[in-house]
Amino acid sequence: MAPRCSCTALLAVSLTVLALLAGLLAPHSAVRWPAVSLAVAAALLPLWGRSLRRRDDGTSRRVCVLVLGDIGRSPRMQYHALSLSKHGYHVTFVGFSETKPHQDVLSEEKITIVPIAELKGVRVGPKVVSYVTKVTVQSLQLLRVLLTMELQAHVLMQNPPGLPSIAVTWFVCLLRGSRFIIDWHNYGYTIMALSHGPAHPIVRLAKWYERFFGPLASHNLCVTNAMKVDLQKNWGIKATTLYDRPASIFRETPLKLQHELFVRLAAVYPQFRHAGSEAERTIFSVRDPADGTVTLRAERPALLLSSTSWTEDEDFSILLTALEEYEGFIRGGASLPPLLCVITGSADLGVCLHKSSSGLDLPMKVVDMFGCCLPVCAVHFNCLDELVKHEENGLIFKDSAELAEQLKTLLSDFPSSDGKLGTFRRNLHSSRGQRWDDNWDQNVLPLITAPR
């Protein structure tokens, strides 16, 4: 059961929110609902003001990690939660529960997942009214969760999405005396502009909203130095760059495990089967039944890997057109291997089609690929060179024709490891940088442990 002070706080704040909404939707109503609600809220505030901030022996070791999105599709926030728990913090992980999080998160006793319902298909009158209704309901959801949980020393929130979570979280942190940390993955308004256009009123409102509430956080993290500079220059926000780094779960797959994966895939997808083969042979690998030794077939095709969230900032037509041109090279007599393209799995080459809506964030899929020492061809955008080093760990292209030429170049010596593809893989082996844990300990832990 929620503490009485939290219930009273929720009632008071809810009345305030409803008062504001009533003022927007019914400005000419004869009943002065905004005044009535605000009066009731003002009367309740003194009842819970002190109790809401009451700390106990465990408060300093509690952190809320918040994302107004699917927890299972928020790997960076999962890594935050795991890093906090490794340092002895008790984490309340708030977000949508559509996709299963990583098993390490589920099995960690110090992490408690608090699911919130995702609002889909809200239709109440005109679009503007539907949008206001959705934001209001989400605000009340967050208020209920944040006000009824145990007092947290910090609330670490992902942005985007930040509407309405930035304002609500800042307000609750102000009331309860918690430190508010925003982890800037991108700008929400730039993502909205992809579908609505930069001049749309909702996009302009979202931009104002982020620029107004963003600077109110106690601390800020961001994913690139380019974003750090932009936040300081245009928003007056001082942020700490926390690059995405591969977690320890991302590593090169041993040959035996590769073969086991190919065998499982061959049982479902005929593209992975070797014609007329027995169970110990796939189109990529073969296992000697005598001693169990696994080898890669010399005549195997190249395996091209990509992944996608199917959002507006990824144009898969670039890859499809490049693959058509690659087939044209083969028909023209080029000595190139067949190419099998999949969306996920072990591979010889990765392709990234992510174009940052702001030009200031980096694709996490490339971070994970590099963690497995997988070279990457990535489509160009500003600040990509903070991650992909052209001609060192991969190649950067601007269109499908350039990608097709890169595929031709990288795979011309396949499967030999003497070509450029092998060089990139060796460079990734020798230049493995920080993993997530060390990076987090260096950049985030000092913010969490700093005296108040």
Side-chain angles (χ1 to χ4, degrees), residues 123-190:
R123 296 290 183 268
V124 183
K127 289 184 177 180
V128 173
V129 177
S130 297
Y131 191 75
V132 171
T133 302
K134 181 177 180 179
V135 170
T136 301
V137 174
Q138 288 181 329
S139 298
L140 295 176
Q141 278 185 313
L142 287 175
L143 284 169
R144 178 186 62 80
V145 171
L146 295 176
L147 288 173
T148 57
M149 68 172 58
E150 291 181 293
L151 180 59
Q152 310 287 307
H154 307 270
V155 179
L156 172 58
M157 193 207 81
Q158 171 184 314
N159 182 63
L163 185 64
S165 52
I166 296 180
V168 173
T169 306
W170 165 77
F171 181 56
V172 172
C173 288
L174 180 66
L175 292 176
R176 308 199 70 180
S178 303
R179 283 181 174 175
F180 180 29
I181 305 173
I182 300 179
D183 189 4
W184 296 83
H185 296 194
N186 202 342
Y187 297 147
Y189 78 90
T190 64

Side-chain angles (χ1 to χ4, degrees), residues 11 37 58 72 118 121 133 156 179 190 239 316 330 367 373 377 425:
L11 177 60
S37 299
E118 181 178 6
T133 302
L156 172 58
R179 283 181 174 175
T190 64
F316 252 71
I330 296 177
V367 175
C373 292
C377 292
R425 189 180 289 273

Side-chain angles (χ1 to χ4, degrees), residues 89-110:
Y89 289 89
H90 292 269
V91 179
T92 302
F93 202 166
V94 180
F96 303 152
S97 58
E98 181 179 344
T99 306
K100 182 180 178 181
H102 192 274
Q103 187 58 42
D104 288 351
V105 175
L106 296 175
S107 60
E108 175 53 61
E109 295 181 353
K110 292 186 179 68

Side-chain angles (χ1 to χ4, degrees), residues 410 413-424 426:
L410 293 175
D413 297 320
F414 187 85
S416 171
S417 60
D418 296 332
K420 184 173 289 188
L421 187 61
T423 300
F424 292 166
R426 287 190 292 273

Side-chain angles (χ1 to χ4, degrees), residues 332-400:
S335 179
L336 295 169
L339 195 56
L340 180 59
C341 181
V342 297
I343 297 300
T344 187
S346 301
D348 299 295
L349 175 64
V351 172
C352 176
L353 301 167
H354 172 83
K355 290 183 177 179
S356 170
S357 61
S358 63
L360 299 172
D361 70 310
L362 294 172
M364 197 161 188
K365 67 192 70 178
V366 174
V367 175
D368 297 340
M369 291 176 184
F370 283 172
C372 300
C373 292
L374 181 67
V376 171
C377 292
V379 67
H380 174 269
F381 63 87
N382 291 338
C383 89
L384 180 62
D385 58 358
E386 291 188 38
L387 178 62
V388 180
K389 309 300 182 183
H390 189 66
E391 296 284 355
E392 180 178 329
N393 55 19
L395 297 174
I396 298 175
F397 60 89
K398 294 183 177 180
D399 52 37
S400 58

